[in-house]
């Protein structure tokens, strides 16, 4: 189970650090200190971030509720004080898988070598989240800044999507019958949708090449697959983070059997 979480988190986490000054030495070999966590109760409404509680399967007596937990600490290269999504209620196996996957995603950001010391904090916007009947999916946006600071910070993105029926993460490889065909479809649709966003018609084409790195930050919604692009990925820093939604009707023929019903729930 631990290996599956680590693999899923590794696929889901993409750093957007282009344009930053990166200088310094390699990360020291000393072990990082253990993070501390403080549980925080979050009350949310449906807005830019969707965090809802819905009835679970018949085996579960309580609804799932998406809140957050604050993780603080430091390592030889980093300090961090970040609130990450966490789940309660419902099937314990599902909540544990989601919570540990989110923690693993943050740990990957903490442990990564960016070439200099850095600090992590809450992002300048909150990530999308959806609690469906058969799927739970959330985006984590973390603020990154060099220490000492440069011109500006950047955003690190991570996403976790859990199949409620199996209590397992869903990767892009799981979602599509053929991963290359699925990535090609996402790339084609992104080329059509991005001109209608802040990225405009002059968006950065390399940011939508059909690779897992470009489309690894995704979440499920009833309307379609949300693709979350990081800073600089599809345009200059000034446009901010860009998210597009590819409707399920345009993906149904490349999705793996049964995935449409799960991901659109």
């Amino acid at each position: 189970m631990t290996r599956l979480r680590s693999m899923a988190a590794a696929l889901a986490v993409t750093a957007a650090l282009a344009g930053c000054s990166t200088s310094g030495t390699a990360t020291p070999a000393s072990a990082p200190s253990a993070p501390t966590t403080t549980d925080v109760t979050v009350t949310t409404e449906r807005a830019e971030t969707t965090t809802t509680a819905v009835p679970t399967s018949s085996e579960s007596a309580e609804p799932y509720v998406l809140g957050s937990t604050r993780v603080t600490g430091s390592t030889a290269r980093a300090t961090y004080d970040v609130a990450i999504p966490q789940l309660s209620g419902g099937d314990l196996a599902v909540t544990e898988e989601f919570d540990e996957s989110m923690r693993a995603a943050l740990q990957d950001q903490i442990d990564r070598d960016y070439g200099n010391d850095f600090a992590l904090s809450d992002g300048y916007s909150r990530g999308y989240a959806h609690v469906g009947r058969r799927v739970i999916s959330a985006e984590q946006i973390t603020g990154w800044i060099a220490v000492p600071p440069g011109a500006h910070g950047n955003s690190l993105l991570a996403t976790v999507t859990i199949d409620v029926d199996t209590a397992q993460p869903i990767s892009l490889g799981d979602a599509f019958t053929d991963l290359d065909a699925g990535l090609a479809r996402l790339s084609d649709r992104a080329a059509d949708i991005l001109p209608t966003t802040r990225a405009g018609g002059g968006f950065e084409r390399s940011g939508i090449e059909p690779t897992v790195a470009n489309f690894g930050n995704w979440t499920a919604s009833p309307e379609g697959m949300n693709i979350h692009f990081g800073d600089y990925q599809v345009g200059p820093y000034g446009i901010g983070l860009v998210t597009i939604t590819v409707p399920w009707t345009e993906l149904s023929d490349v999705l793996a059997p049964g995935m449409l019903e799960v991901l659109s729930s």
Side-chain angles (χ1 to χ4, degrees):
M1 181 70 75
T2 300
R3 185 175 67 86
L4 286 172
R5 290 192 202 98
S6 298
M7 290 175 64
L11 286 174
V13 181
T14 301
L17 296 180
C20 288
S21 173
T22 55
S23 61
T25 58
T27 304
S30 57
S33 58
T36 60
T37 62
T38 303
D39 291 336
V40 178
T41 301
V42 176
T43 301
T44 58
E45 298 178 355
R46 187 178 180 89
E48 291 185 4
T49 300
T50 304
T51 56
T52 56
V54 299
T56 63
S57 61
S58 58
E59 292 82 4
S60 303
E62 298 179 4
Y64 291 106
V65 177
L66 193 60
S68 70
T69 290
R70 184 160 294 279
V71 183
T72 62
S74 63
T75 69
R77 301 296 300 272
T79 59
Y80 47 94
D81 184 353
V82 181
I84 62 172
Q86 295 281 264
L87 196 64
S88 62
D91 186 339
L92 181 60
V94 173
T95 59
E96 287 183 344
E97 183 65 47
F98 179 90
D99 290 354
E100 292 183 28
S101 293
M102 271 297 178
R103 289 174 184 265
L106 177 63
Q107 193 63 51
D108 285 346
Q109 295 174 350
I110 293 168
D111 294 340
R112 194 174 302 147
D113 184 2
Y114 303 96
N116 46 268
D117 293 351
F118 62 95
L120 300 181
S121 60
D122 294 339
Y124 65 79
S125 62
R126 297 178 63 182
Y128 174 88
H130 172 63
V131 178
R133 186 174 57 85
R134 299 179 64 186
V135 69
I136 297 170
S137 192
E139 174 195 22
Q140 167 67 20
I141 302 175
T142 304
W144 180 98
I145 192 166
V147 176
H152 58 71
N154 288 282
S155 298
L156 305 182
L157 305 184
T159 57
V160 171
T161 297
I162 302 294
D163 186 329
V164 170
D165 297 335
T166 64
Q168 291 297 306
I170 303 174
S171 68
L172 285 176
D174 299 322
F176 295 112
T177 301
D178 180 271
L179 178 58
D180 290 338
L183 290 170
R185 181 66 57 82
L186 291 176
S187 180
D188 288 344
R189 294 304 299 123
D192 292 335
I193 297 171
L194 278 170
T196 68
T197 71
R198 293 188 303 275
F203 67 88
E204 176 55 54
R205 298 267 169 179
S206 64
I208 63 166
E209 289 296 314
T211 65
V212 171
N214 279 338
F215 291 96
N217 286 315
W218 66 278
T219 52
S221 74
E223 296 76 26
M225 180 178 285
N226 303 319
I227 307 299
H228 307 281
F229 296 111
D231 289 327
Y232 297 104
Q233 186 175 349
V234 293
Y237 180 82
I239 68 172
L241 299 174
V242 174
T243 295
I244 65 171
T245 300
V246 180
W248 295 123
T249 54
E250 298 176 10
L251 295 173
S252 58
D253 61 320
V254 291
L255 289 173
M259 274 295 157
L260 177 59
E261 292 76 17
V262 172
L263 294 174
S264 64
S265 68

